[in-house]
């Protein structure tokens, strides 16, 4: 049971929740709420947007300003909210398909624009809610309902993508590394600009079962055994890194933030600036 | 009389948006609507507003809705193919009840079609383009002054009904320049959305006032913590699978337009009192039709014009009443014959309805309409 100060961020009114047994999303959400609480925010300071699918349902259970949008559009809606209310701390939650397939364009451009949004992708390598179809992060060779013979495409590395597109903070971890999830999200929220945290989250129902990894406990073990810290991964060959989860901080830099730049532009035009 | 200007239709829409209190615009360039984005990129920061060119049409629609949820009056503008891309989020704005103005400066289609030439092919897309079949409001200007006035009206209706409102313009109206006498500021009526009067802990985002079936709307970031979703929801904004709640929400979405019907019936008439033949036209074609009525009258034909201004909901009742006293109705339009279906439905057999279409991407001329009048008479 979460502590009382965490409970103020949870809408128990809407329980029971819809997540399957063994789903990793609850762990990630709890870590996110601890991060928010540790930074001293209140529910009214926080805005959580989401797209579609299992991760899309997360904001409904969070007591804050919450908006459940269309598939892939979490960041595009969040951009409008942020520009209208720059003082809100915006967290955009996405699934892997949400972020990298249908929402890929918004993802790279929000990163390029460097708008102050904390983007969290809960990557479970699969389309869970729609029944286990492949996603852009499904590992090469894995099985899905739309890849019954194994997935022949290459897996997307979302952290490399975010970093190349201009995100000022980029990190990846798994729900097994729960303290790290909280720490990375806390850093992402504190970072001014587009910050991206990828949290690998097990989906025993659609991914684990179909790919013979096993139940929730076995999937946690799988996350533990297959995770390689970035420092170690740097010394490994691409072959050794195949199907491994490289965890760590991929980018942490500073760059001009979009809403601030627009505010300055507005002041300049109106002759109120420096 | 206010200021006199020589403006393009698209400029009038942009300046009408500023006058309406619209303070957020997200867009993606597309001919023949791009001037609206260009002008607002210059004008919005001057009044403390925000302009953003998004990465695509879908993102523009999403950002415009997002800004509206956070309390700003908000707009986007596009043309046919871009309007198609916005349709999913237009449906989101309908179910989540977010005020937003969407300008569609129609061009020739289908697909990329003829970007720099006019057609009226989005008449049905405006109403039925999104999924689900629920209503929205669409208003169609014929003059540059109307571009200004109707943008203010579109914003007001969006706020009043918590609904997306489409401005169904076209390439001719968007790009033509006219001398315009602007209204004085004191003549401009601006409507703002109803805000909740209850404290945050008592606020239910989808509990509607029984009087108008429109729920008061809090803004994100102003102390109210609430949930909005594109899923069918209960009064809390929380998704529901309860058939009773689903039906209640769906029926209310219809009822708010029923109850506000008098505000949503807008049309104009010209020379209809003794008319034997009635022309029904909208947008740029209504201008040709007005001239055609004058010319045909000179030659002794008793012709009148009925112009739907709010094209969705379609003004069924007033049209039916006028159609009851004429011998024939002619519907000239620059598409394959889309509005004629609505006219036939409204007229409901009271007189024959004739379609006149033009598909070569040039404007339907007054003489073409006069010719049709003579043929029918």
């Amino acid at each position: 049971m979460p502590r009382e100060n965490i409970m103020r961020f949870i809408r128990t009114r809407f329980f029971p929740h819809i997540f399957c047994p063994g789903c990793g999303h609850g762990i990630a959400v709890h870590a996110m709420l601890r991060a928010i609480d540790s930074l001293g925010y209140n529910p009214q300071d926080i805005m959580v947007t989401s797209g579609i699918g299992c991760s899309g349902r997360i904001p409904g259970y969070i007591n804050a300003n919450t908006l459940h949008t269309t598939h892939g559009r979490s960041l595009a809606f969040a951009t409008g909210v942020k520009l209208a209310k720059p003082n809100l701390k915006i967290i955009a939650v996405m699934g892997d398909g949400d972020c990298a397939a249908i929402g890929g364009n918004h993802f790279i451009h929000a990163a390029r624009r460097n708008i102050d949004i904390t983007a969290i992708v809960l990557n479970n390598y699969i389309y869970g809610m729609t029944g286990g179809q492949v996603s852009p992060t499904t590992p090469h060779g894995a099985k899905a309902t739309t890849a019954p013979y194994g997935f022949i495409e290459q897996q997307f590395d979302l952290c490399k993508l975010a970093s190349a597109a201009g995100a000022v903070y980029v990190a990846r971890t798994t729900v097994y590394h729960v303290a790290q999830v909280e720490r990375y999200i806390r850093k992402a929220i504190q970072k001014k600009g587009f910050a991206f945290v990828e949290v690998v989250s097990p989906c025993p129902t659609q991914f684990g079962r179909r790919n013979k990894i096993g139940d929730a406990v076995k999937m946690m073990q799988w996350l533990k055994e297959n995770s390689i810290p970035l420092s170690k991964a740097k010394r490994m060959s691409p072959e050794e890194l195949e199907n491994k989860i490289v965890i760590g901080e991929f980018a942490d830099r500073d760059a001009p933030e979009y809403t601030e730049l627009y505010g300055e532009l507005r002041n300049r035009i109106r002759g109120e600036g420096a | 009389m206010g200021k006199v200007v020589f403006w393009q239709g698209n400029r009038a829409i942009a300046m009408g948006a500023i006058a309406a209190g619209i303070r957020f615009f997200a867009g993606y360039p597309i001919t023949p609507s791009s001037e609206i984005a260009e002008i607002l990129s210059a004008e919005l920061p001057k009044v403390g507003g925000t302009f953003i060119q998004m990465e695509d049409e879908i993102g523009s629609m999403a950002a415009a809705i997002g800004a509206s949820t956070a309390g700003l009056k908000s707009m986007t503008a596009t043309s046919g193919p871009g309007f198609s891309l916005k349709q999913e989020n237009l449906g989101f704005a309908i179910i989540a009840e977010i005020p937003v103005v969407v300008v569609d400066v129609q061009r020739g289609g289908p697909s990329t079609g003829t970007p720099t030439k006019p057609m009226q092919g989005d008449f049905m897309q405006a109403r039925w383009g999104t999924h689900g079949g629920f209503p929205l409001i669409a208003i169609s200007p014929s003059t540059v002054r109307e571009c200004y006035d109707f943008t203010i009206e579109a914003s007001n209706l969006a706020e009043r009904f918590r609904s997306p409102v489409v401005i169904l313009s076209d390439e001719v109206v968007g790009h033509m320049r006219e001398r315009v006498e602007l209204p004085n500021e004191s003549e401009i009526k601006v409507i703002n959305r109803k805000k909740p009067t209850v404290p945050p802990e008592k606020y239910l985002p989808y509990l509607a006032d029984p009087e108008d079936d429109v729920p008061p709307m809090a803004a994100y970031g102003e102390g109210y913590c609430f949930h909005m979703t594109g899923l069918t929801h209960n009064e809390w904004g929380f998704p529901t699978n309860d058939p009773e709640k689903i039906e209640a929400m769906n029926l209310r979405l219809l009822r708010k337009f029923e109850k506000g019907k008098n505000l949503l019936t807008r049309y104009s008439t010209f020379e209809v009192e003794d008319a034997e033949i009635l022309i029904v036209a909208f947008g740029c074609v209504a201008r040709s039709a007005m001239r055609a009525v004058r010319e045909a009258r000179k030659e002794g034909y008793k012709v009148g014009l009925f112009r739907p201004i709010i094209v969705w909901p379609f003004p069924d009742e007033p049209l039916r009443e006028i159609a009851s006293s004429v011998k024939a109705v002619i519907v000239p339009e620059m598409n394959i014959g889309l509005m004629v279906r609505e006219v036939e439905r409204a007229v409901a057999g009271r007189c024959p309805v004739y379609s006149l279409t033009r598909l070569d991407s040039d404007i339907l001329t007054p003489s073409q309409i006069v010719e049709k009048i003579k043929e029918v008479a």
Side-chain angles (χ1 to χ4, degrees):
Chain A
M1 190 68 162
R3 297 189 304 269
E4 198 182 322
N5 50 339
I6 299 297
M7 287 306 288
R8 73 198 169 105
F9 285 102
I10 299 175
R11 289 181 179 134
T12 49
R13 164 188 298 280
F14 298 144
F15 283 0
H17 60 70
I18 51 106
F19 302 104
C20 301
C23 174
H25 286 16
I27 298 170
V29 171
H30 192 187
M32 178 177 103
L33 296 181
R34 285 196 305 272
I36 292 169
D37 178 62
S38 72
L39 293 168
Y41 287 110
N42 287 312
Q44 59 267 27
D45 310 326
I46 301 288
M47 166 93 202
V48 188
T49 66
S50 67
I52 293 294
C54 304
S55 67
R57 302 297 288 269
I58 286 169
Y61 304 113
I62 297 177
N63 182 35
N65 302 280
T66 55
L67 181 64
H68 175 208
T69 75
T70 43
H71 190 29
R73 316 301 170 202
S74 184
L75 287 168
F77 278 79
T79 298
V81 175
K82 181 68 187 178
L83 286 167
K85 287 272 159 63
N87 291 333
L88 272 173
K89 194 36 89 175
I90 313 264
I91 299 170
V93 177
M94 297 170 282
D96 33 308
D98 231 9
C99 170
I102 190 167
N105 204 28
H106 308 306
F107 179 48
I108 56 173
H109 288 280
R112 173 188 61 80
R113 200 175 278 132
N114 195 28
I115 186 161
D116 186 29
I117 292 172
T118 302
I120 300 174
V121 65
L122 297 174
N123 181 6
N124 55 17
Y125 300 146
I126 202 86
Y127 284 79
M129 194 176 267
T130 44
Q133 298 85 6
V134 289
S135 101
T137 59
T138 300
H140 181 80
K143 287 193 172 152
T145 51
T146 48
Y149 312 112
F151 192 40
I152 59 169
E153 296 180 25
Q154 298 304 316
Q155 188 182 30
F156 225 146
D157 186 328
L158 303 183
C159 285
K160 281 187 185 165
L161 179 65
S163 192
V168 288
Y169 180 78
V170 178
R172 181 193 289 127
T173 184
T174 83
V175 298
Y176 173 79
H177 306 82
V178 62
Q180 209 172 39
V181 178
E182 184 182 335
R183 193 163 73 245
Y184 287 172
I185 293 178
R186 190 185 305 122
K187 282 183 83 168
I189 292 172
Q190 284 174 294
K191 191 78 187 177
K192 187 174 286 173
F194 188 79
F196 177 68
V197 180
E198 177 182 343
V199 183
V200 180
S201 175
C203 176
T205 306
Q206 297 292 4
F207 187 77
R209 184 171 52 90
R210 191 162 287 109
N211 285 288
K212 308 224 177 330
I213 296 170
D215 62 10
V217 176
K218 291 226 172 79
M219 281 209 84
M220 280 299 224
Q221 269 168 349
W222 175 77
L223 289 181
K224 180 190 171 189
E225 286 157 14
N226 285 282
S227 296
I228 312 277
L230 184 58
S231 51
K232 193 177 167 195
K234 279 177 181 161
R235 300 190 300 270
M236 289 167 69
S237 69
E239 292 73 35
E240 286 173 310
L241 283 171
E242 206 169 312
N243 290 333
K244 299 291 185 216
I245 305 163
V246 180
I247 59 173
E249 291 172 298
F250 293 75
D252 190 356
R253 57 189 170 226
D254 293 312
E257 192 276 322
Y258 184 81
T259 49
E260 284 194 354
L261 287 176
Y262 199 87
E264 283 166 21
L265 176 148
R266 206 190 275 127
N267 287 342
R268 197 170 73 235
I269 304 297
R270 305 184 90 190
E272 294 161 10
Chain B
M1 192 178 86
K3 207 166 72 167
V4 178
V5 295
F6 187 64
W7 273 357
Q8 191 191 53
N10 282 346
R11 174 169 290 272
I13 285 181
M15 300 313 286
I18 301 281
I22 287 171
R23 290 296 176 266
F24 185 87
F25 181 95
Y28 189 79
I30 183 168
T31 304
S33 78
S34 298
E35 294 85 1
I36 298 170
E38 289 164 4
I39 293 161
L40 284 172
S41 74
E43 296 299 325
L44 273 169
K46 291 184 194 167
V47 293
T50 303
F51 165 90
I52 186 169
Q53 182 171 319
M54 289 294 283
E55 51 276 9
D56 59 31
E57 295 279 6
I58 301 171
S60 306
M61 187 70 206
I65 295 171
S68 182
T69 64
L72 290 189
K73 288 187 185 179
S74 168
M75 184 167 106
T76 183
T78 187
S79 183
F83 193 39
S84 298
L85 289 168
K86 293 187 189 302
Q87 291 291 346
E88 185 198 17
N89 283 334
L90 198 64
F92 182 91
I94 290 173
I95 194 170
E97 297 181 78
I98 318 286
V100 62
V101 176
V102 183
V103 187
D104 176 17
V105 187
Q106 298 170 92
R107 65 193 214 174
S111 188
T112 313
T114 40
T116 57
K117 292 202 166 208
M119 271 178 80
Q120 298 179 307
D122 302 344
F123 179 79
M124 286 294 177
Q125 188 184 199
R127 169 67 180 85
W128 301 107
T130 196
H131 50 286
F134 279 81
L136 49 62
I137 302 161
I139 187 165
S140 184
S142 289
T143 68
V144 174
R145 168 69 195 254
E146 283 182 354
C147 285
Y148 186 83
D149 292 345
F150 291 3
T151 303
I152 298 168
E153 183 146 356
S155 173
N156 287 346
L157 290 170
E159 297 284 317
R160 163 67 179 75
F161 287 93
R162 276 190 71 171
S163 168
V165 176
V166 175
I167 299 178
L168 200 57
S169 183
D170 56 62
E171 193 277 336
V172 172
V173 175
H175 279 163
M176 77 184 165
R177 287 174 165 81
E178 284 185 312
R179 181 185 182 275
V180 181
E181 292 173 11
L182 294 176
N184 281 313
E185 244 172 74
S186 58
E187 295 166 54
I188 296 171
K189 198 175 131 214
V190 166
I191 293 173
N192 299 315
R193 67 192 67 167
K194 212 166 31 176
K195 295 262 188 180
T197 50
V198 296
E201 62 277 11
K202 293 244 171 81
Y203 178 58
L204 272 67
Y206 292 103
L207 182 66
D209 279 355
E211 198 187 320
D212 61 5
D213 272 305
V214 178
M217 187 172 171
Y220 288 132
E222 293 178 3
Y224 287 78
C225 290
F226 57 95
H227 187 59
M228 292 206 272
T229 174
L231 285 165
T232 306
H233 45 263
N234 60 20
E235 292 88 346
W236 288 96
F238 199 72
T240 180
N241 272 324
D242 175 352
E244 254 180 58
K245 292 279 180 197
I246 292 169
E247 190 181 44
M249 191 207 78
N250 286 338
L251 290 177
R252 186 175 61 71
L253 286 178
L254 298 171
R255 220 164 43 224
K256 67 177 181 179
F257 293 118
E258 277 298 311
K259 284 190 178 168
K261 205 159 113 187
N262 60 337
L263 293 172
L264 297 175
T265 308
R266 269 206 71 182
Y267 59 96
S268 73
T269 57
F270 176 65
E271 303 272 22
V272 293
E273 290 71 23
D274 64 340
E276 290 172 354
I277 293 173
L278 184 70
I279 315 290
V280 182
F282 79 107
C284 66
V285 176
R287 299 170 71 102
S288 295
M290 173 105 63
R291 172 85 175 267
V293 168
R294 285 203 186 99
E295 284 177 9
R297 284 227 167 226
K298 274 187 221 154
E299 293 187 46
Y301 296 96
K302 289 186 173 173
V303 192
L305 171 67
F306 181 96
R307 175 166 72 106
I309 288 174
I310 291 183
V311 294
W312 298 109
F314 197 72
D316 289 3
E317 285 164 30
L319 176 59
R320 187 175 306 131
E321 201 184 307
I322 297 167
S324 302
S325 60
V326 301
K327 290 182 188 150
V329 170
I330 300 170
V331 186
E333 51 186 329
M334 284 155 59
N335 54 44
I336 61 165
L338 301 177
M339 187 172 73
V340 67
R341 298 165 181 230
E342 283 305 296
V343 174
E344 276 168 352
R345 191 183 52 74
V347 168
R350 280 164 178 76
C351 68
V353 175
Y354 299 92
S355 175
L356 171 63
T357 65
R358 182 163 184 174
L359 294 170
D360 67 355
S361 81
D362 266 334
I363 188 163
L364 252 164
T365 60
S367 55
Q368 283 178 295
I369 300 171
V370 171
E371 208 175 299
K372 187 75 178 179
I373 291 166
K374 288 180 180 169
E375 188 190 307
V376 166

